[in-house]
Amino acid sequence: MDSQSATTRLYLIATAERLFAEHGINAVSMRKIAADAGQRNDNAVQYHFGSKQGLVDAIFKHRQVPIDVRRMALIDAFDREGRGDDPYAIAEAFVRPLAELLDDAPSGSWYLRFCVQAAYTVHRDVATLTLSDLESRPGALGLAVLRERACRMLRDTLPEPLVAQRWWHFTGFLAHALADLEARRHAGGLHHLGSAELFVAGLLDSAASVLTAPCRPSTSRLAKTESGAAVRGG
């Protein structure tokens, strides 16, 4: 791929990420992306990515690979400190690489809201995103490591049916909170929520609390009842 083609691809990715974040994936046409990216060819997206799904995949790859490098570096650092399985370390390794995108020049990231939009997209040309989809993509090793460590920790305190559910709560809470932070940064600041640094610090505390929240006896009984029914039902 020549340098001009590579530059065009990156500009299309950046433009699509912003438009998808602002309006949703279904609401933005490939023609609109090409026009906003300054492409005279209306079929520029098809030429470079094949389809809207191909463009969505390219956005994830463009972002996830460097995020994963940063996340694995944090995991390795926490391991050297002897706290790799600490819930605060798990939360920080998840959050920090994403929060750091907000300082990208010149206008910050749109990726966090793009992820939330992708999670709710149902379209014949764009598959609905799930956490397992993310973990199966290139550049998701760190996410898989954090999931394994969190679930191992959770199995010490929660019935098995609640382990995957708690991880889902944890990641969903963080994704939406970070997307909200991103939106507030674009709107001109956090105002009554304090600085971005304070927001992230408080978010880490809340995230660790999500992981370590105790299970009520009634919830435990319900989980064990449903698990037993599923086993009996084959």
Side-chain angles (χ1 to χ4, degrees):
M1 182 186 303
D2 60 44
S3 60
Q4 182 176 352
S5 181
T7 299
T8 299
R9 280 177 58 89
L10 285 175
Y11 200 48
L12 286 167
I13 286 172
T15 302
E17 181 184 83
R18 174 178 59 82
L19 291 173
F20 289 156
E22 289 180 322
H23 306 292
I25 293 174
N26 287 343
V28 181
S29 69
M30 292 188 286
R31 184 185 297 265
K32 168 69 172 172
I33 295 166
D36 276 33
Q39 299 299 303
R40 287 175 293 181
N41 180 3
D42 291 341
N43 296 317
V45 172
Q46 291 96 320
Y47 175 80
H48 287 281
F49 304 100
S51 65
K52 184 181 282 189
Q53 180 68 62
L55 177 56
V56 167
D57 291 341
I59 294 170
F60 276 119
K61 183 178 181 180
H62 173 68
R63 290 295 193 179
Q64 272 192 272
V65 171
I67 286 170
D68 194 57
V69 171
R70 173 63 171 141
R71 182 167 286 143
M72 287 303 303
L74 285 170
I75 291 171
D76 290 343
F78 294 145
D79 284 347
R80 289 194 298 271
E81 295 168 6
R83 61 188 189 99
D85 293 323
D86 179 84
Y88 289 93
I90 292 172
E92 184 165 357
F94 186 97
V95 168
R96 190 68 64 186
L98 298 173
E100 287 169 354
L101 291 176
L102 300 174
D103 296 324
D104 278 0
S107 60
S109 164
W110 304 84
Y111 178 66
L112 301 167
R113 280 168 291 168
F114 161 77
C115 286
V116 171
Q117 293 282 9
Y120 294 104
T121 295
V122 180
H123 189 280
R124 64 184 179 86
D125 296 323
V126 180
T128 302
L129 174 73
T130 67
L131 186 61
S132 60
D133 292 331
L134 278 179
E135 291 182 358
S136 68
R137 292 174 181 271
L141 176 59
L143 187 61
V145 169
L146 293 180
R147 182 181 187 277
E148 189 277 329
R149 293 185 182 191
C151 290
R152 185 174 62 218
M153 177 187 70
L154 291 169
R155 289 189 180 98
D156 291 335
T157 58
L158 297 179
E160 185 61 33
L162 294 178
V163 171
Q165 186 188 98
R166 184 64 66 87
W167 174 250
W168 185 262
H169 292 164
F170 171 78
T171 56
F173 161 67
L174 289 176
H176 284 81
L178 288 167
D180 183 63
L181 173 60
E182 184 182 76
R184 289 174 182 272
R185 287 286 294 272
H186 276 283
L190 300 179
H191 306 299
H192 65 286
L193 294 178
S195 66
E197 182 181 5
L198 179 61
F199 185 100
V200 171
L203 184 60
L204 294 177
D205 293 338
S206 299
S209 297
V210 170
L211 280 180
T212 58
C215 177
R216 292 176 300 163
S218 58
T219 305
S220 180
R221 288 193 298 270
L222 179 60
K224 291 176 181 177
T225 299
E226 291 194 5
S227 179
V231 170
R232 290 191 297 274

